[in-house]
Amino acid sequence: MCVSCLSEAGVKNPNPRKRKKQSLKLGHGGTLDSAASGVLVVGVGNGTKMLSTMLAGSKKYVAVGELGKATDTLDATGKMVLEKDFEHITRVDIEEKLKSFTGDIMQVPPLYSALKKDGQRLSVLLQKGHKVEAKPARPVTVYNLTLQEFKPPLFTLDIECGGGFYVRSLVDDLGKALSSCAHVKELVRTKQGQFTLEEHALHEGQWTLEHVLRSLQPCSESETGTKPSKEHTD
């Protein structure tokens, strides 16, 4: 990494000739599920202090759900725990049920999540065989929720939501509301705060040091008064 870039990132007196290790902070503005893809904003150096401010606003997702099958993780990575009929479900049924999941709603987070108990993630505790109780329902906001495609058993949702929202819980709850069950088959985050997948993401062919450095957005000292975001959503 070049000296000027280290300086912009908040490293004091960077000198590549010295063997002394340079400390460079990295942070991210909220987790993504291991099976999900899309926008994950990373802060470098002083930029870690700006994440909460820069990521204020809504998030957008495109989710593909599969009717008729429920898993313990509420997505395709988990073990199937329930199978139910879905032939009775129509496009109109889904669109009607989505109305009750729009606005300010209460939502129970998934058991398999980055939320913590006694300092450890719930997902890690479950993998170790510990018994974990579901977290209580909490208020979340859904600004926009539309059905983009319906090809049974698959359906595609376009979602715009606030912080703390879990797409997996939405799809699971929707399946139950339709007198069936469902899980997330694919999930892409297309927007996080002011950052979008179209405008800011680096495609695989651009995963080089040169392109990464070009994508860094420098920050001034006056903008670094906030702490990095610790919000965990999928």
Side-chain angles (χ1 to χ4, degrees), residues 149-166:
E149 189 174 36
F150 182 46
K151 293 182 178 180
L154 303 181
F155 60 95
T156 302
L157 301 177
D158 190 23
I159 306 157
E160 182 174 8
C161 59
F165 181 83
Y166 281 89

Side-chain angles (χ1 to χ4, degrees), residues 28-30 41 50-58 192-195 229:
H28 61 81
V41 180
M50 290 182 58
L51 288 173
S52 295
T53 301
M54 295 188 73
L55 299 181
S58 65
Q192 185 179 18
Q194 60 185 279
F195 301 95
S229 169

Side-chain angles (χ1 to χ4, degrees), residues 111-131:
L111 283 178
Y112 282 85
S113 71
L115 296 177
K116 293 183 178 181
K117 177 186 178 182
D118 301 327
Q120 292 194 63
R121 291 186 176 188
L122 297 183
S123 57
V124 173
L125 291 173
L126 285 167
Q127 290 167 1
K128 290 181 178 179
H130 295 280
K131 187 177 180 180

Side-chain angles (χ1 to χ4, degrees), residues 190-221:
T190 59
K191 174 181 177 291
Q192 185 179 18
Q194 60 185 279
F195 301 95
T196 65
L197 190 59
E198 281 188 6
E199 296 179 16
H200 300 99
L202 290 177
H203 298 287
E204 188 172 352
Q206 298 175 312
W207 290 354
T208 65
L209 180 59
E210 179 183 1
H211 284 97
V212 170
L213 294 178
R214 285 181 182 176
S215 68
L216 290 177
Q217 297 186 15
C219 56
S220 64
E221 291 295 329

Side-chain angles (χ1 to χ4, degrees), residues 44-69:
V44 181
N46 287 335
T48 60
K49 302 175 184 179
M50 290 182 58
L51 288 173
S52 295
T53 301
M54 295 188 73
L55 299 181
S58 65
K59 302 178 183 181
K60 290 184 178 181
Y61 297 87
V62 173
V64 178
E66 182 176 354
L67 293 166
K69 296 178 182 178

